């Protein structure tokens, strides 16, 4: 992993956990609280680790760079007087309304936009917003646990300040459909999403032939992975697609979304990654930021619903890598953190930051097997988009 020569930050304050759809909803803010507690106890965040930057709250003008004014007004009304408004995706099972919804969602946007500002201004080389990554929100409606699309708003802020090439890589188990839609016809933004196939999983989109609008063919890249894909297959697909495209595109900033719901224990999807495989992806993206974007890297959170078993460990690894101090996978979780989990949640916390796996993979250049679903999916993506970037799609 390249040495980090610049400062790194995490944008966070505890009130960001007010983005809360209620105790029965899968996307509990507990996962963020447990992550920050674990990262702080391990020294990843705090003295000697990542510097914490307070999170501002985005104003309506900032939200309106991506979202329709009518949608913003609907969220404001829902937050002031909680009532369903399904025309805007509010009050559904995925997106229940709650008091203060507009403020809480705007705070998440503000945190992520501040991470983008940190990196674009040069105050930070890397900056993370783990509460962010709400990649399903559409300009005109909420979707998939996501009210406002903080990532798209952050990318828009870069373009508005003169950025000419921004790359977005989404490793959440679900297709990054909202971000892709916002920049569908904008050749300045390359969106790459690796996800479980929409044949099996929400939102049902993101196939190899989805490659961008008429003015931006090849700007959208989708790798639709078969259910059951584990570390080796996932990393094989990642390295077959992402590095060649980023090297050709050469973004000024690399933006990444790190939903860790690709894990085998996640209750909402069907991939089979381990924390060790996810950590390998984070390291690869960090290295690519240094290789292609001068180290300028904005990292956000995303999905992840194994609240104790997976998310805190995965995102602690992410924050360690963002801070230039990766945590050894064999590290034990601190006793105080395990006691907190046991006392307040009445469950047993993981003992180490590893799942005990070696995330090895077979390089695509060694040839592909058309008899396997995974290799057919990767090959289809390469055939669709590589020629549009002047790249040879064959191994």
């Amino acid at each position: 992993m390249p040495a980090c020569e610049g400062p790194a930050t995490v944008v966070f304050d505890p009130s960001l956990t007010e983005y809360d759809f209620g105790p029965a909803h899968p996307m509990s803010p507990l996962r963020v609280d447990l992550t920050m507690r674990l990262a702080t106890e391990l020294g990843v965040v705090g003295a000697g680790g990542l510097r914490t930057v307070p999170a501002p709250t985005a104003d309506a003008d900032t939200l309106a760079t991506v979202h329709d004014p009518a949608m913003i007004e609907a969220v404001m009304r829902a937050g002031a007087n909680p009532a369903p408004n399904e025309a805007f995706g509010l009050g559904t099972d995925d997106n229940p309304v709650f008091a203060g919804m507009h403020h809480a969602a705007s705070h998440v946007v503000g945190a992520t936009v501040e991470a983008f500002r940190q990196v674009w201004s040069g105050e930070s080389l890397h900056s993370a917003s783990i509460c962010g990554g709400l990649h399903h929100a559409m300009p005109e409606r909420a979707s998939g646990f996501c009210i406002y699309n903080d990532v798209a708003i952050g990318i828009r802020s870069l373009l508005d300040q003169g950025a000419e090439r921004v790359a977005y890589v989404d490793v959440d188990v679900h297709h990054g459909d909202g971000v892709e839609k916002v920049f569908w016809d904008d050749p300045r933004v390359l969106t790459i999403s690796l996800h479980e196939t929409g044949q099996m999983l929400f939102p049902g989109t993101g196939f190899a032939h989805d490659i961008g609008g008429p003015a931006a063919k090849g700007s959208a890249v989708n790798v639709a992975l078969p259910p059951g894909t584990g570390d080796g297959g996932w990393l094989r697909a990642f390295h077959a697609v992402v590095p060649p495209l980023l090297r050709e595109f050469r973004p000024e900033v690399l933006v990444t979304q790190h939903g860790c719901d690709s894990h085998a224990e996640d209750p909402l999807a069907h991939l089979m990654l381990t924390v060790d495989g996810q950590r390998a992806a984070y390291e690869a993206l960090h290295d690519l930021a240094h290789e292609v974007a001068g180290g300028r890297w904005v990292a956000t959170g995303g999905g992840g619903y194994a609240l104790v078993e997976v998310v805190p460990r995965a995102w602690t690894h992410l924050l360690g890598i963002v801070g230039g101090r990766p945590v050894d996978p064999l590290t034990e979780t601190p006793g105080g953190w395990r006691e907190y989990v046991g006392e307040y949640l009445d469950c047993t916390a993981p003992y180490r930051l590893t799942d005990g796996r070696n995330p090895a993979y077979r390089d695509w250049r060694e040839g592909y097997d058309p008899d396997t679903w995974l290799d057919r999916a990767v090959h289809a993506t390469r055939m669709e988009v590589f020629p549009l970037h002047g790249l040879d799609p064959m191994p």
Side-chain angles (χ1 to χ4, degrees), residues 39-88:
T40 300
E41 287 200 38
L42 287 171
V44 169
V45 172
L50 274 173
R51 179 171 64 90
T52 301
V53 174
T57 300
D59 59 23
D61 288 343
T62 301
L63 301 176
T65 61
V66 164
H67 292 287
D68 296 348
M71 186 262 193
I72 299 169
E73 291 169 8
V75 177
M76 288 179 174
R77 289 195 301 271
N81 180 24
N85 190 340
E86 295 196 15
F88 295 98

Side-chain angles (χ1 to χ4, degrees), residues 64-350:
T65 61
V66 164
H67 292 287
D68 296 348
M71 186 262 193
I72 299 169
E73 291 169 8
V75 177
M76 288 179 174
R77 289 195 301 271
N81 180 24
N85 190 340
E86 295 196 15
F88 295 98
L90 303 171
T92 64
D93 288 344
D94 278 359
N95 308 305
V97 295
F98 60 92
M101 170 184 279
H102 168 72
H103 174 77
S106 299
H107 199 186
V108 173
V109 173
T112 297
V113 171
E114 172 62 18
F116 277 83
R117 192 198 67 79
Q118 287 279 326
V119 170
W120 188 246
S121 70
E123 292 178 38
S124 298
L125 187 63
H126 310 330
S127 191
S129 173
I130 61 164
C131 288
L134 305 181
H135 61 166
H136 294 308
M138 296 293 178
E140 72 286 359
R141 61 182 169 84
S143 177
F145 312 165
C146 305
I147 306 302
Y148 296 136
N149 197 316
D150 62 295
V151 186
I153 294 169
I155 294 172
R156 179 75 75 201
S157 74
L158 295 183
L159 300 176
D160 289 345
Q161 294 174 81
E164 296 178 353
R165 293 181 314 283
V166 180
Y168 170 71
V169 180
D170 187 319
V171 302
D172 194 289
V173 79
H174 301 92
H175 175 223
D177 57 338
V179 181
E180 179 184 275
K181 179 178 179 178
V182 171
F183 302 108
W184 179 253
D185 206 29
D186 191 335
R188 297 173 296 174
V189 181
L190 174 68
T191 64
I192 306 175
S193 179
L194 293 91
H195 47 266
E196 183 178 344
T197 175
Q199 293 172 282
M200 305 290 179
L201 193 66
F202 176 89
T205 54
F207 297 98
H209 58 262
D210 297 320
I211 61 172
K217 295 292 187 186
S219 68
V221 181
N222 288 287
V223 186
L225 300 166
T229 299
D231 291 343
W234 194 99
L235 290 166
R236 173 170 166 79
F238 174 94
H239 286 282
V241 172
V242 177
L245 289 169
L246 292 183
R247 288 168 184 147
E248 182 63 29
F249 188 69
R250 299 208 64 83
E252 294 160 276
V253 179
L254 177 62
V255 181
T256 55
Q257 195 268 20
H258 295 273
C260 50
D261 38 10
S262 58
H263 194 278
E265 292 189 38
D266 195 274
L268 299 189
H270 318 99
L271 297 191
M272 299 294 288
L273 273 70
T274 67
V275 166
D276 305 284
Q278 292 172 333
R279 182 183 186 276
Y282 307 161
E283 285 194 318
L285 287 164
H286 168 270
D287 293 355
L288 284 163
H290 280 275
E291 180 184 345
V292 305
R296 289 179 292 275
W297 181 29
V298 179
T300 73
Y305 310 102
L307 306 178
V308 175
E309 303 89 341
V310 177
V311 182
R313 293 186 297 152
W315 284 354
T316 293
H317 279 304
L318 175 63
L319 292 173
I321 292 164
V322 168
R325 298 177 59 189
V327 182
D328 186 331
L330 295 176
T331 300
E332 294 181 6
T333 54
W337 184 79
R338 293 197 301 271
E339 289 173 12
Y340 177 84
V341 169
E343 180 178 351
Y344 288 95
L345 303 176
D346 193 28
C347 64
T348 302

